[in-house]
Amino acid sequence: MTASDIHRAIDAVWRIEQARLIAGLARIVRDVGMAEELAQDALVAALEKWPGTGIPRNPGAWLMAAAKNRAIDHFRRSRLGERKLAEFLQDLETDQPDGVSELEASLDDDIGDDLLSLIFTACHPLLPTDARLALTLRLVGGLTTAEIARAFLATEPTIAQRIVRAKRTLSAAKVPFEVPRGVDRAERLASVLEVIYLIFNEGYAATAGEDWIRPQIAEEALRVGRILAELAPQEPEVHGLVALMEIQASRMGARVGPGGEPVLLLDQDRAKWDRILIGRGLTALARAEALGEAAGPYQLQAAIAACHARAAIAEETDWRRIADLYAVLVVRMPNPVVELNRAVAVAMADGPEAGLAIVDGLVGDPALARYHLLPSVRADLLARLGRFDEAAEEAGRAADLARNGREKAMLLDRIAAWKQAAGIPHPD
């Protein structure tokens, strides 16, 4: 393998192992900020050694061992680190072949899942909600500051500041690395659900880069959601979120064309949808509904996803029910992005003019000022009305704002098609 091949492989390994590595380290050192620093040190070591030695058979275990060595060095330099150093030395003596030590196993909580513990720790009530989300997306989702900023519709410096402050706050307060019980668990549940879904969304539709989807991230969010559903079986919104993710994940194989290009919902080959995941999603939705409480935001979104899943072909989609569900959702979760989605559903149920009227009312919303899907949706509705020159102009704005390479390319193709339809000459 060439050096560039090795570096690409390291990047792939890092994306897969980062969250588990940080979670495993945080369980031992009890400090998420230090855990992330140790993980980063291990990555630097891999970048230095692997180009010469090749990728190890178990890269995750290699990274964990490298991070532990850095931790040992840290505690040896610290007068307060004698107890931790003793634990680490014992840990290294009892390492198992699979890279998981007896000491680490003995520290498992009642769920036995480090990643879920990391999410609950990062979602501690000491932190404001926006900081909880940003920190967890950074530590668990492995997202860059730019990607998190995109997800939050915020600036990069703002997100960076939130993350730094959050780690300092948790470290200063010596927040325990564990899944809380009782009242504490209930208090943090809403924030945890939001974080899991934001992580899933980054895998379902990547905000930046050259990949339209990042299945590994979506699968990790879904896995954690399933664990949480077993932990909180009487929480309808937990089952609602799992239902939503299961159904959306069922489309993953149909969302990308042979060349890696995006394939939008109405153009997808529904034979490629995973019927097992759809079945799991509908079952989870039924569990949520059976609990008898008023439908929350995730349950409502799952019901919308179920409408698509039950339609054998796009033309059979019950857009009237979807529009009605969005009308309820926008009351339960007032949000300009939800209103934009409602506009799409209304356009499908009542025609593009009705949808465009809603979209036009969102144009001045500061929260959507740099949200590329606002001009993208508006462009599509204008094109459906035959206003191709305006559609091309609006799609140009969307392309300028889009950070995902595949999505930008799709928008540029649409601009070219709409300009041709409008009779606008192509520049030489």
Side-chain angles (χ1 to χ4, degrees), residues 104-251:
E104 290 179 65
S106 70
L107 291 173
D108 278 341
D109 54 33
D110 62 327
I111 296 178
D113 191 274
D114 290 341
L115 194 56
L116 194 58
S117 298
L118 181 59
I119 290 177
F120 269 97
T121 301
C123 291
H124 197 280
L126 276 173
L127 304 177
T129 299
D130 54 5
R132 300 177 206 174
L133 299 176
L135 179 62
T136 310
L137 285 169
R138 174 68 175 167
L139 298 180
V140 182
L143 308 189
T144 65
T145 302
E147 289 170 336
I148 299 170
R150 186 70 173 174
F152 280 132
L153 305 179
T155 65
E156 290 184 41
T158 297
I159 294 300
Q161 190 175 55
R162 288 177 191 171
I163 292 171
V164 169
R165 287 178 176 173
K167 289 191 289 188
R168 287 176 179 170
T169 299
L170 292 176
S171 179
K174 300 186 185 302
V175 171
F177 183 77
E178 63 184 7
V179 176
R181 294 173 172 80
V183 175
D184 288 342
R185 179 180 293 174
E187 288 177 349
R188 278 194 251 174
L189 185 59
S191 182
V192 168
L193 292 178
E194 188 172 4
V195 167
I196 293 173
Y197 191 43
L198 280 170
I199 294 171
F200 178 85
N201 276 341
E202 182 57 32
Y204 186 75
T207 56
E210 294 304 316
D211 294 323
W212 172 238
I213 60 175
R214 296 167 66 183
Q216 184 72 33
I217 293 178
E219 289 167 7
E220 199 62 50
L222 182 51
R223 183 184 72 84
V224 175
R226 289 168 178 164
I227 293 171
L228 189 58
E230 296 306 313
L231 174 68
Q234 298 304 311
E235 295 288 344
E237 276 291 78
V238 174
H239 298 301
L241 175 58
V242 171
L244 176 58
M245 293 192 296
E246 298 275 16
I247 295 172
Q248 288 185 316
S250 73
R251 308 175 195 149

Side-chain angles (χ1 to χ4, degrees), residues 237 293-301 325-335 338:
E237 276 291 78
E293 297 184 19
Y298 293 112
Q299 186 177 329
L300 287 167
Q301 290 176 80
L325 286 167
Y326 269 121
V328 177
L329 179 61
V330 80
V331 173
R332 299 281 172 82
M333 190 170 67
N335 183 306
V338 175

